Amino acid sequence: MTTTLSAVEFITLDGVMQGFDGPDDDPTFTHGGWGTPYQSPDAVQIGTAATEVQHIYLLGRKTYERMIAFWPHQPDENRMAAQLNAAPKYVASRTQTEFVWNARPLSGELVQAVEQLKASEDAALVILGSGEILRQLLSAGLVDHLTLFIHPLVLGTGGRVFPQLAEPARLALTSVQPTSTGVLVAEYDVV
C-alpha cells in the first residue's frame, strides 16, 4: 500500500508563505497578517470541501503550536474544526516530546519517517503550512500533490514556499477556482 502526500499552502503571488495569519506568527516579519484581507466564505468552503476525505496531518512544531492554540477550542459545527480535531496528526519536532490533540511525534529523520508513513498508512497524508517540512519533502521527491491558495499580492520579501531544487519540479494543473477576493485555489500533481 502506498498513500499520497499532499500539501495545502497559503501563498502570495511571489511564493511567500511567511506570516499569513498575523504579526504573532513571526514578530521579525514586517508583513505579518497579509492573508487577513483575503479571507472569504467561498475560500473557507473550498478549503473545507476536502475535509470529507480521511486525512492524517503532518505538521511542524511551530504550525502545531499555532493550530493547537486555536482549533481545539472551535465548535464541531465548524466542519474544518471537527475534521482537524478528530484527525490523527504527526508532528516533526526535535525538541517537543509531549503532544495532545490526537497528535504523536514523527519518529526519526524526516525523509525516512515520511517514506515509512507513505508505505504504511491507508489515509492521505497532508502537510498544512509547515514550510520547512514541505521544502525538505519537495527536495526529496516525496510530495505528490499541491493545493495552493495563491493570493493576489506581491510582498517581495519573506520566507517562500519553494526550495532551491537540484532539478526542476514539474507540476500538472488539475483544477483552479477563483474566490470572491481574487485568491486562486490551484491544485497541482507533482509529475
Side-chain angles (χ1 to χ4, degrees):
M1 139 183 42
T2 301
T3 191
T4 59
L5 175 61
S6 300
V8 178
E9 303 296 338
F10 295 86
I11 64 172
T12 63
L13 196 58
D14 56 340
V16 173
M17 66 181 296
Q18 182 178 8
F20 174 79
D21 286 323
D24 293 340
D25 278 359
D26 183 346
T28 66
F29 185 57
T30 58
H31 300 300
W34 58 264
T36 303
Y38 299 99
Q39 294 175 355
S40 65
D42 55 339
V44 171
Q45 183 177 0
I46 293 167
T48 57
T51 64
E52 311 287 320
V53 178
Q54 175 62 37
H55 293 111
I56 296 173
Y57 291 103
L58 179 58
L59 308 170
R61 181 190 50 81
K62 291 177 189 174
T63 301
Y64 169 75
E65 289 173 351
R66 281 195 305 269
M67 292 182 81
I68 199 168
F70 179 78
W71 287 109
H73 311 292
Q74 303 309 304
D76 281 348
E77 291 78 36
N78 177 323
R79 284 181 24 203
M80 187 63 151
Q83 207 285 328
L84 282 171
N85 291 334
K89 298 158 207 68
Y90 286 96
V91 181
S93 175
R94 290 187 173 96
T95 57
Q96 191 159 345
T97 57
E98 294 186 25
F99 298 91
V100 294
W101 194 44
N102 203 16
R104 57 190 151 220
L106 186 64
S107 299
E109 290 300 314
L110 179 66
V111 171
Q112 291 80 15
V114 171
E115 286 174 337
Q116 290 175 349
L117 282 177
K118 284 184 74 169
S120 64
E121 294 291 350
D122 59 0
L125 293 168
V126 179
I127 302 167
L128 297 177
S130 306
E132 190 174 323
I133 288 173
L134 174 60
R135 287 185 286 277
Q136 288 181 53
L137 296 177
L138 274 170
S139 293
L142 292 176
V143 178
D144 302 298
H145 185 80
L146 295 168
T147 300
L148 303 176
F149 285 71
I150 305 167
H151 293 68
L153 176 68
V154 175
L155 292 177
T157 184
R160 287 174 168 69
V161 69
F162 297 108
Q164 291 186 358
L165 300 171
E167 294 293 325
R170 306 220 181 272
L171 308 175
L173 182 67
T174 58
S175 74
V176 64
Q177 297 179 58
T179 71
S180 59
T181 58
V183 174
L184 294 178
V185 183
E187 297 196 44
Y188 297 92
D189 285 336
V190 181
V191 294

